[in-house]
Amino acid sequence: MRKRPEFLAANRGKRYATPGFVLLVHDRRDDNPAKRLGITITKKVGNAVVRNRMRRRFRELAAELLPELGKAGADHILIGRDGGIERDFGMLREEMTKALRKLSA
C-alpha cells in the first residue's frame, strides 16, 4: 500500500499496540482475498537509517507471518514506535504473532 487514503481507511480498523509497533487490521470488504501490507514510521523515531532498518525488519516479519496468520481480504498496517528498533527480533516476532492472532480472529 502506498496511497494516503488507503492508510486513512485502515485507521478505522482494529488496532493492537505493543512497545515496538502498532498493528492496524482493516477489512476491505471487497472480493479480493489479498493480504496487503503498509508500513509507516515517522521522523520522530529516528533518522533515515534507523527508519529504513525498522522497515526492513517489519517487512521480514510480515513475509514470515502474514501468509499464515494474516486476515484474507484485509489491509495490515504496521506503525513503527520509538522502542521498536532496540527490541530483539524474537520479541517482535512473538508480539506480531500475538497481535495477528487476536486481530484476525
Short mmCIF file of all heavy atoms in Angstrom, two decimals, residues 1-13 24 26 36-41 75-79:
data_model
loop_
_atom_site.label_atom_id
_atom_site.label_comp_id
_atom_site.label_asym_id
_atom_site.label_seq_id
_atom_site.Cartn_x
_atom_site.Cartn_y
_atom_site.Cartn_z
N MET A 1 0.85 -1.17 0.00
CA MET A 1 0.00 0.00 0.00
C MET A 1 0.90 1.24 0.00
O MET A 1 1.88 1.29 0.71
CB MET A 1 -0.89 0.01 1.24
CG MET A 1 -1.87 -1.09 1.30
SD MET A 1 -2.84 -1.16 2.80
CE MET A 1 -3.10 0.51 3.21
N ARG A 2 0.50 2.23 -0.77
CA ARG A 2 1.31 3.43 -0.85
C ARG A 2 0.50 4.73 -0.78
O ARG A 2 1.05 5.79 -0.59
CB ARG A 2 2.12 3.43 -2.14
CG ARG A 2 3.11 2.28 -2.21
CD ARG A 2 4.22 2.62 -3.14
NE ARG A 2 5.12 1.50 -3.27
CZ ARG A 2 6.25 1.39 -2.58
NH1 ARG A 2 6.60 2.32 -1.74
NH2 ARG A 2 7.03 0.36 -2.75
N LYS A 3 -0.81 4.64 -0.96
CA LYS A 3 -1.61 5.86 -1.04
C LYS A 3 -2.20 6.23 0.32
O LYS A 3 -2.67 5.37 1.07
CB LYS A 3 -2.72 5.68 -2.07
CG LYS A 3 -2.16 5.47 -3.46
CD LYS A 3 -3.24 5.35 -4.48
CE LYS A 3 -2.59 5.15 -5.84
NZ LYS A 3 -3.54 4.82 -6.86
N ARG A 4 -2.19 7.51 0.60
CA ARG A 4 -2.66 8.02 1.89
C ARG A 4 -4.11 7.64 2.20
O ARG A 4 -4.42 7.26 3.32
CB ARG A 4 -2.45 9.53 1.93
CG ARG A 4 -2.91 10.15 3.24
CD ARG A 4 -2.42 11.59 3.36
NE ARG A 4 -3.06 12.29 4.44
CZ ARG A 4 -2.78 12.14 5.73
NH1 ARG A 4 -1.87 11.27 6.08
NH2 ARG A 4 -3.41 12.83 6.65
N PRO A 5 -5.05 7.72 1.24
CA PRO A 5 -6.44 7.34 1.56
C PRO A 5 -6.56 5.89 2.04
O PRO A 5 -7.42 5.58 2.87
CB PRO A 5 -7.19 7.55 0.25
CG PRO A 5 -6.40 8.56 -0.48
CD PRO A 5 -4.97 8.32 -0.11
N GLU A 6 -5.71 5.00 1.52
CA GLU A 6 -5.74 3.61 1.97
C GLU A 6 -5.30 3.51 3.43
O GLU A 6 -5.88 2.74 4.20
CB GLU A 6 -4.83 2.76 1.09
CG GLU A 6 -5.32 2.67 -0.35
CD GLU A 6 -4.31 2.02 -1.27
OE1 GLU A 6 -3.11 1.99 -0.93
OE2 GLU A 6 -4.73 1.54 -2.33
N PHE A 7 -4.28 4.28 3.82
CA PHE A 7 -3.82 4.28 5.20
C PHE A 7 -4.88 4.88 6.12
O PHE A 7 -5.11 4.38 7.22
CB PHE A 7 -2.51 5.06 5.33
CG PHE A 7 -1.30 4.28 4.91
CD1 PHE A 7 -0.87 4.30 3.60
CD2 PHE A 7 -0.59 3.54 5.83
CE1 PHE A 7 0.24 3.59 3.21
CE2 PHE A 7 0.53 2.82 5.45
CZ PHE A 7 0.95 2.84 4.14
N LEU A 8 -5.53 5.95 5.67
CA LEU A 8 -6.58 6.58 6.48
C LEU A 8 -7.78 5.66 6.66
O LEU A 8 -8.39 5.62 7.73
CB LEU A 8 -7.01 7.91 5.85
CG LEU A 8 -5.95 9.01 5.86
CD1 LEU A 8 -6.45 10.25 5.12
CD2 LEU A 8 -5.54 9.36 7.27
N ALA A 9 -8.13 4.90 5.61
CA ALA A 9 -9.23 3.96 5.73
C ALA A 9 -8.88 2.85 6.72
O ALA A 9 -9.72 2.42 7.51
CB ALA A 9 -9.56 3.36 4.36
N ALA A 10 -7.64 2.42 6.71
CA ALA A 10 -7.20 1.35 7.63
C ALA A 10 -7.20 1.83 9.08
O ALA A 10 -7.29 1.03 10.01
CB ALA A 10 -5.82 0.86 7.23
N ASN A 11 -7.13 3.13 9.28
CA ASN A 11 -7.12 3.68 10.64
C ASN A 11 -8.45 3.43 11.36
O ASN A 11 -8.51 3.50 12.58
CB ASN A 11 -6.80 5.18 10.59
CG ASN A 11 -6.33 5.70 11.91
OD1 ASN A 11 -5.75 4.97 12.72
ND2 ASN A 11 -6.57 6.96 12.16
N ARG A 12 -9.50 3.15 10.60
CA ARG A 12 -10.81 2.86 11.20
C ARG A 12 -10.94 1.40 11.62
O ARG A 12 -11.95 1.01 12.16
CB ARG A 12 -11.92 3.22 10.21
CG ARG A 12 -12.03 4.70 9.94
CD ARG A 12 -13.27 5.00 9.13
NE ARG A 12 -13.29 4.35 7.84
CZ ARG A 12 -12.87 4.90 6.71
NH1 ARG A 12 -12.39 6.13 6.71
NH2 ARG A 12 -12.93 4.23 5.58
N GLY A 13 -9.92 0.59 11.34
CA GLY A 13 -9.99 -0.83 11.65
C GLY A 13 -9.59 -1.13 13.08
O GLY A 13 -9.46 -0.26 13.93
N LEU A 24 -2.54 -2.28 12.73
CA LEU A 24 -3.92 -1.98 12.35
C LEU A 24 -4.37 -3.02 11.32
O LEU A 24 -3.62 -3.31 10.38
CB LEU A 24 -4.04 -0.60 11.71
CG LEU A 24 -3.53 0.60 12.48
CD1 LEU A 24 -3.61 1.84 11.62
CD2 LEU A 24 -4.34 0.79 13.74
N HIS A 26 -7.65 -3.78 8.83
CA HIS A 26 -8.91 -3.24 8.31
C HIS A 26 -9.42 -4.13 7.19
O HIS A 26 -8.74 -4.34 6.19
CB HIS A 26 -8.67 -1.82 7.78
CG HIS A 26 -9.87 -1.19 7.19
ND1 HIS A 26 -10.05 -1.05 5.83
CD2 HIS A 26 -10.98 -0.67 7.76
CE1 HIS A 26 -11.21 -0.46 5.60
NE2 HIS A 26 -11.79 -0.23 6.75
N ARG A 36 -2.86 -7.21 2.11
CA ARG A 36 -1.95 -6.11 1.79
C ARG A 36 -1.25 -5.61 3.04
O ARG A 36 -1.79 -5.67 4.14
CB ARG A 36 -2.72 -4.96 1.13
CG ARG A 36 -3.34 -5.37 -0.17
CD ARG A 36 -3.83 -4.21 -1.00
NE ARG A 36 -4.64 -3.28 -0.24
CZ ARG A 36 -5.16 -2.18 -0.75
NH1 ARG A 36 -4.97 -1.87 -2.01
NH2 ARG A 36 -5.90 -1.37 0.00
N LEU A 37 -0.03 -5.09 2.83
CA LEU A 37 0.79 -4.60 3.93
C LEU A 37 1.16 -3.15 3.67
O LEU A 37 1.53 -2.78 2.56
CB LEU A 37 2.06 -5.44 4.07
CG LEU A 37 3.08 -4.96 5.09
CD1 LEU A 37 2.55 -5.15 6.50
CD2 LEU A 37 4.38 -5.70 4.92
N GLY A 38 1.09 -2.36 4.72
CA GLY A 38 1.56 -0.98 4.69
C GLY A 38 2.42 -0.74 5.92
O GLY A 38 2.12 -1.23 7.00
N ILE A 39 3.50 0.00 5.74
CA ILE A 39 4.40 0.30 6.84
C ILE A 39 4.60 1.80 6.89
O ILE A 39 4.87 2.43 5.86
CB ILE A 39 5.77 -0.40 6.66
CG1 ILE A 39 5.58 -1.92 6.62
CG2 ILE A 39 6.73 -0.01 7.77
CD1 ILE A 39 6.83 -2.68 6.26
N THR A 40 4.48 2.37 8.07
CA THR A 40 4.73 3.79 8.24
C THR A 40 5.54 4.01 9.51
O THR A 40 5.27 3.40 10.54
CB THR A 40 3.41 4.60 8.26
OG1 THR A 40 3.72 5.97 8.37
CG2 THR A 40 2.51 4.19 9.38
N ILE A 41 6.54 4.87 9.39
CA ILE A 41 7.41 5.20 10.50
C ILE A 41 7.70 6.69 10.42
O ILE A 41 8.18 7.18 9.40
CB ILE A 41 8.73 4.40 10.44
CG1 ILE A 41 8.41 2.91 10.41
CG2 ILE A 41 9.61 4.73 11.62
CD1 ILE A 41 9.55 2.03 10.01
N ASP A 75 -6.31 -5.14 4.96
CA ASP A 75 -5.09 -4.34 4.94
C ASP A 75 -4.46 -4.44 6.32
O ASP A 75 -5.13 -4.28 7.33
CB ASP A 75 -5.41 -2.87 4.64
CG ASP A 75 -5.93 -2.68 3.23
OD1 ASP A 75 -5.64 -3.53 2.37
OD2 ASP A 75 -6.62 -1.68 3.00
N HIS A 76 -3.16 -4.67 6.35
CA HIS A 76 -2.40 -4.76 7.60
C HIS A 76 -1.41 -3.61 7.60
O HIS A 76 -0.56 -3.52 6.72
CB HIS A 76 -1.66 -6.09 7.69
CG HIS A 76 -2.56 -7.28 7.64
ND1 HIS A 76 -3.10 -7.76 6.47
CD2 HIS A 76 -3.03 -8.08 8.61
CE1 HIS A 76 -3.86 -8.80 6.73
NE2 HIS A 76 -3.84 -9.02 8.03
N ILE A 77 -1.51 -2.72 8.57
CA ILE A 77 -0.64 -1.56 8.66
C ILE A 77 0.23 -1.70 9.91
O ILE A 77 -0.28 -1.91 11.01
CB ILE A 77 -1.45 -0.25 8.78
CG1 ILE A 77 -2.50 -0.15 7.68
CG2 ILE A 77 -0.53 0.96 8.79
CD1 ILE A 77 -1.95 0.02 6.31
N LEU A 78 1.53 -1.56 9.74
CA LEU A 78 2.46 -1.55 10.86
C LEU A 78 2.96 -0.13 11.04
O LEU A 78 3.51 0.47 10.11
CB LEU A 78 3.65 -2.48 10.58
CG LEU A 78 3.38 -3.95 10.77
CD1 LEU A 78 4.51 -4.77 10.18
CD2 LEU A 78 3.23 -4.27 12.24
N ILE A 79 2.77 0.42 12.23
CA ILE A 79 3.24 1.76 12.56
C ILE A 79 4.38 1.60 13.54
O ILE A 79 4.20 1.07 14.64
CB ILE A 79 2.11 2.60 13.18
CG1 ILE A 79 0.93 2.69 12.23
CG2 ILE A 79 2.63 4.00 13.54
CD1 ILE A 79 -0.30 3.31 12.84
#
